[in-house]
Amino acid sequence: MAMTIRDIAREAGVSTATVSRALRGLPNVDPLTRERVRQVAERLDYVVSPAASRLASGRAGSIAVITPYIARWYFGRVLSGIEKVLQASELDLLLSSIGDPSETHHVPPHRKLRRRVDGFLVISLSTDTEGLSEIFETNLPVALIDTEREGCWSVGIDDVSGARMAVQHLINLGHERIGLISGRPLPTPFRPEENRWVGYRDALLSARLAVEPDLEACGHFTIEGGERAMTTLLARPNPPTAVFAMSDEMAFGALRSLRAHGLQPGRDVSVVGFDGHEMAEHLDLTTIVQPVEDIGARAAQSLLEAIDNPGREPKQLTLPLSMVVRGSTAFRRDRGHASTSADEAPDAHLAHRRT
Amino acid sequence: MAMTIRDIAREAGVSTATVSRALRGLPNVDPLTRERVRQVAERLDYVVSPAASRLASGRAGSIAVITPYIARWYFGRVLSGIEKVLQASELDLLLSSIGDPSETHHVPPHRKLRRRVDGFLVISLSTDTEGLSEIFETNLPVALIDTEREGCWSVGIDDVSGARMAVQHLINLGHERIGLISGRPLPTPFRPEENRWVGYRDALLSARLAVEPDLEACGHFTIEGGERAMTTLLARPNPPTAVFAMSDEMAFGALRSLRAHGLQPGRDVSVVGFDGHEMAEHLDLTTIVQPVEDIGARAAQSLLEAIDNPGREPKQLTLPLSMVVRGSTAFRRDRGHASTSADEAPDAHLAHRRT
DNA sequence: GCCCAACGCGTAAACGCTTGCACGCGGACG
DNA sequence: CGTCCGCGTGCAAGCGTTTACGCGTTGGGC
């Protein structure tokens, strides 16, 4: 039971040094010796003690994933992508949820992680999030998802143009009062939120359309929040005829609110979401789809690369977006008029597809 | 940078042993000394080297969570509950997805975890899942979620009676041909699946209703799968008038299939789901709700308890279930007849509520 | 006033591995 | 035939903690 490297060494008739080298695939070991050692280790069911190995080598043998949420759709999927890559590596995946940063939970325990990991994977958090600075100060490699930062590797999508694409689609459909269901009041600790806000604004401005506070409502990235936000918007003096929601989940809530008000998505109010959630198809929601799991996987690969090659110049990766047009968006029509549901937009210059 | 316990000892004018004791809150340390050491450590920004600590103490300082999926709703939520508890403890959370066991992915790397963790948390997997035996052989404490096993702690719900509750509800509504959307063909590596199947069967048998293979279809626990399953059931010679889906996500797919066939959930075919997914409310789906996040949290607590008190007799915990009745279930009516949507079932003896 | 327990602390031996260094040996090269 | 190089290997010094043990000092009970 108490198998140590010494037992293997004795059994194989070599020194512990050779066992160590043989088992780890280091050079300068006779192939025959290596094989013999392997067999002995196998037979005795030996696995190295990570603690001892880490202490001696100075490597932590694990990476930490810092995420604001675990249970939410987007984060779960990203995490899944990360895990798949890490599974194949030698590194352990330490999961650390930071809790909703805007709620100033307990102090994030990044302190504890200090001597414990070889690198960090941070999801969606603005680089100036409180508590994140400790991570950058470690000088360990960091891979950022959905953000960028000098000296860090990063993977993400172009949130600005994604949002612009969504809003432009609505503009092309003839909408002029286009609402926004955002996350929470700025400043937000989430980078994508800021960027989607910029994209929304850009699109409106370059079409010389109004950007009014009255067209915005916070949905806190939840279904319920999205529903409340839509309800709020509908209650405004001059409600929007179309809405861009920063996430599909909020869009789901918006759709629900519309139905509750006797309005039909698409026909009465157009809605675009963001993410590519599976349910979007089922709810007939037009959305900007991002390769979520891939984002996680690529980020993990980046981090592994950074750990293996310290000092290597970090790369930033931007993954492609696409739009899926469904029934929740349609040409603007005056309320009350009858018309067929014409939902093919004249914006063929944008990347999009139908399903 | 290279802060060791020795630096603290020197600076505080004590031995490393005292530093170690002071910082870990062990007894037999003068309160004044302890405080002084604390201050020095704080000032020098010292954190213990987990590797060294683990090597010396023999504790791994982390627990592994073995889960078949990360991205799926149920597992993400359970994981979130686990993480919240572990965050407050001293233990690291090592995430290890096993991949879909029925697909015989790569060999699960539980081997690697051997000397690396102080305990295991296993989600939903049958205890006889291939590769899980290695875990039990370690003799480390194991907390099981959704399953039970001699010598293991466990937390879960009563899947049998949950399923029975769902089906009984349909029976009470007058349905006689009640379909089942299950996960995959038995034998399945997931325990809840077996049990829900038993509950389904029990309810039907004790009402002297038919249990036919023709009433079953596999939905693989995905939305798409649920949709396909419902479509399959509808195409059968004598289709069911009501369906119990083993998960809400499959039920969502079923609802979609119904709509695609011009059928209205509740009025034409009743559907009950299982989980308490947020979207269930939005899709007006009757469902059995389980305290998912709580399940994870309790299991984590159990494991911590087991680790702190080795040899303690394991406890099994069963958490309560409830049923939320919504519009997707209604009294059976003959196809084609008009009738109002009467959906209040005469099964007041069952725990349920309306929203 | 004595004895013993309890307390606070230091000494030093692990814990199980990695790795710089040195050594011997055989072959290539001049 | 001597030298040198490089390969395969072993030796042993760490890596930074924890903890059994022992020692001196106090204080309370008799």
Side-chain angles (χ1 to χ4, degrees):
Chain A
M1 206 63 224
M3 273 294 136
T4 81
I5 199 175
R6 219 138 31 204
D7 299 309
I8 310 302
R10 188 176 337 105
E11 194 70 14
V14 293
S15 71
T16 63
T18 299
V19 173
S20 177
R21 287 188 279 247
L23 256 25
R24 285 183 305 146
L26 295 190
N28 293 351
V29 177
D30 188 304
L32 274 66
T33 309
R34 190 190 299 278
E35 187 49 30
R36 183 156 38 96
V37 170
R38 282 236 168 92
Q39 305 235 339
V40 172
E42 170 82 13
R43 178 159 55 82
L44 267 45
D45 195 32
Y46 166 79
V47 275
V48 301
S49 153
S53 168
R54 288 163 182 184
L55 176 57
S57 69
R59 292 176 216 111
S62 44
I63 72 108
V65 176
I66 315 289
T67 177
Y69 308 105
I70 294 172
R72 295 204 184 166
W73 186 85
Y74 177 76
F75 299 94
R77 278 219 127 56
V78 170
L79 192 54
S80 180
I82 293 171
E83 200 271 344
K84 277 184 186 139
V85 170
L86 253 34
Q87 187 93 81
S89 81
E90 294 290 88
L91 269 31
D92 289 339
L93 162 36
L94 252 60
L95 184 55
S96 177
S97 125
I98 193 181
D100 197 319
S102 64
E103 293 169 10
T104 325
H105 265 293
H106 49 91
V107 176
H110 304 325
R111 189 67 166 290
K112 289 186 359 186
L113 294 173
R114 263 264 297 283
R115 303 173 70 167
R116 184 160 312 211
V117 300
D118 296 312
F120 295 92
L121 218 30
V122 181
I123 311 183
S124 283
L125 266 7
S126 268
T127 54
D128 53 0
T129 302
E130 172 203 16
L132 230 50
S133 56
E134 299 182 359
I135 285 181
F136 299 120
E137 284 165 9
T138 61
N139 284 323
L140 290 172
V142 177
L144 265 16
I145 292 179
D146 297 335
T147 330
E148 301 191 344
R149 183 181 195 269
E150 168 104 29
C152 291
W153 297 63
S154 59
V155 176
I157 54 164
D158 185 342
D159 282 291
V160 175
S161 73
R164 212 188 286 124
M165 198 190 301
V167 176
Q168 186 62 50
H169 170 63
L170 295 171
I171 294 172
N172 293 345
L173 288 167
H175 294 279
E176 294 178 345
R177 291 192 62 77
I178 299 176
L180 174 70
I181 299 184
S182 60
R184 72 204 73 209
L186 296 173
T188 158
F190 297 121
R191 203 57 203 301
E193 196 171 350
E194 301 176 42
N195 289 333
R196 289 173 202 176
W197 193 85
V198 170
Y200 163 78
R201 202 171 131 280
D202 278 8
L204 289 188
L205 288 181
S206 58
R208 305 187 182 286
L209 293 176
V211 180
E212 305 174 10
D214 248 29
L215 288 171
E216 273 192 55
C218 294
H220 299 270
F221 283 101
T222 64
I223 301 178
E224 292 72 22
E227 182 171 2
R228 279 196 303 272
M230 186 75 243
T231 303
T232 304
L233 291 178
L234 289 175
R236 295 267 163 83
N238 189 3
T241 65
V243 168
F244 166 52
M246 283 190 179
S247 81
D248 279 349
E249 285 174 285
M250 294 194 293
F252 298 156
L255 295 180
R256 182 169 160 79
S257 167
L258 289 179
R259 291 219 186 75
H261 286 79
L263 297 172
Q264 183 181 320
R267 196 181 55 117
D268 300 316
V269 176
S270 286
V271 178
V272 185
F274 200 116
D275 273 349
H277 195 296
E278 299 90 358
M279 287 297 294
E281 181 185 346
H282 298 254
L283 293 174
D284 207 22
L285 174 72
T286 294
T287 187
I288 306 295
V289 353
Q290 50 173 332
V292 189
E293 202 147 337
D294 212 31
I295 290 176
R298 303 291 196 116
Q301 282 160 357
S302 293
L303 188 55
L304 291 182
E305 193 177 335
I307 290 174
D308 286 345
N309 316 72
R312 171 104 120 237
E313 197 58 24
K315 291 180 195 154
Q316 343 283 138
L317 198 59
T318 301
L319 266 31
L321 246 29
S322 62
M323 180 163 69
V324 178
V325 178
R326 300 202 182 90
S328 71
T329 51
F331 276 113
R332 176 187 168 219
R333 16 156 277 167
D334 296 330
R335 292 274 174 88
H337 286 200
S339 98
T340 63
S341 170
D343 53 8
E344 184 60 46
D347 47 358
H349 61 289
L350 288 173
H352 75 292
R353 61 179 194 264
R354 304 200 99 254
T355 53
Chain B
M1 204 64 221
M3 273 296 135
T4 82
I5 200 176
R6 217 135 34 202
D7 299 308
I8 310 302
R10 188 178 335 107
E11 193 69 15
V14 294
S15 71
T16 63
T18 300
V19 173
S20 176
R21 286 188 282 246
L23 258 23
R24 285 184 305 147
L26 294 190
N28 294 351
V29 177
D30 188 305
L32 274 66
T33 309
R34 189 190 299 278
E35 187 51 30
R36 185 156 36 94
V37 171
R38 283 236 167 92
Q39 304 236 340
V40 172
E42 170 83 12
R43 179 159 54 81
L44 267 45
D45 194 31
Y46 166 80
V47 277
V48 303
S49 152
S53 167
R54 288 162 182 186
L55 175 58
S57 70
R59 293 176 215 110
S62 44
I63 71 109
V65 176
I66 315 289
T67 177
Y69 307 104
I70 294 172
R72 295 204 183 165
W73 185 85
Y74 177 76
F75 299 94
R77 278 221 128 56
V78 170
L79 193 53
S80 181
I82 293 170
E83 200 272 344
K84 277 184 184 136
V85 170
L86 253 35
Q87 187 92 82
S89 81
E90 294 291 87
L91 269 31
D92 289 338
L93 162 37
L94 250 61
L95 184 57
S96 178
S97 125
I98 193 180
D100 198 319
S102 64
E103 292 168 9
T104 325
H105 266 291
H106 49 93
V107 175
H110 304 326
R111 189 65 166 293
K112 288 188 0 188
L113 294 173
R114 262 264 298 283
R115 303 173 70 165
R116 185 160 311 209
V117 300
D118 295 312
F120 295 92
L121 217 31
V122 181
I123 312 183
S124 284
L125 267 6
S126 268
T127 54
D128 53 0
T129 302
E130 171 204 15
L132 230 51
S133 55
E134 299 182 358
I135 285 181
F136 298 120
E137 284 165 9
T138 61
N139 283 324
L140 289 172
V142 178
L144 263 18
I145 292 179
D146 297 336
T147 329
E148 300 191 345
R149 183 180 194 270
E150 167 105 27
C152 291
W153 299 63
S154 58
V155 176
I157 53 165
D158 185 341
D159 283 291
V160 175
S161 72
R164 212 188 283 124
M165 197 190 301
V167 175
Q168 187 61 50
H169 170 63
L170 296 171
I171 294 173
N172 293 345
L173 288 168
H175 293 279
E176 295 179 344
R177 291 192 62 79
I178 299 177
L180 174 69
I181 299 184
S182 60
R184 72 204 72 209
L186 295 174
T188 158
F190 297 121
R191 204 56 203 300
E193 196 171 348
E194 300 177 42
N195 288 334
R196 289 174 202 175
W197 193 84
V198 170
Y200 163 80
R201 201 170 132 280
D202 278 8
L204 290 187
L205 288 181
S206 58
R208 304 185 182 288
L209 292 178
V211 179
E212 307 174 6
D214 248 26
L215 288 171
E216 272 191 56
C218 295
H220 299 270
F221 283 102
T222 65
I223 303 178
E224 293 72 22
E227 182 172 2
R228 277 196 303 273
M230 187 74 241
T231 302
T232 303
L233 291 177
L234 289 175
R236 296 264 163 85
N238 189 4
T241 66
V243 167
F244 165 52
M246 283 188 178
S247 81
D248 279 350
E249 286 174 284
M250 292 194 294
F252 299 156
L255 294 181
R256 181 168 160 79
S257 167
L258 289 179
R259 291 218 185 77
H261 287 79
L263 298 172
Q264 184 181 319
R267 196 182 55 119
D268 299 317
V269 176
S270 287
V271 178
V272 185
F274 201 115
D275 273 349
H277 195 296
E278 301 90 355
M279 286 297 294
E281 182 184 346
H282 298 255
L283 293 174
D284 207 22
L285 174 73
T286 294
T287 187
I288 305 297
V289 355
Q290 51 173 330
V292 189
E293 201 147 338
D294 212 32
I295 290 176
R298 302 292 195 116
Q301 281 160 359
S302 293
L303 187 56
L304 291 182
E305 193 177 334
I307 290 174
D308 286 345
N309 317 73
R312 173 106 119 233
E313 195 59 23
K315 291 179 195 156
Q316 343 283 139
L317 197 60
T318 301
L319 267 31
L321 245 29
S322 63
M323 179 163 70
V324 178
V325 177
R326 299 203 182 89
S328 71
T329 50
F331 276 113
R332 173 182 170 223
R333 20 156 272 169
D334 295 331
R335 292 276 174 87
H337 285 201
S339 98
T340 63
S341 170
D343 53 8
E344 184 62 47
D347 47 357
H349 61 287
L350 289 172
H352 74 293
R353 60 178 194 265
R354 303 203 98 253
T355 52

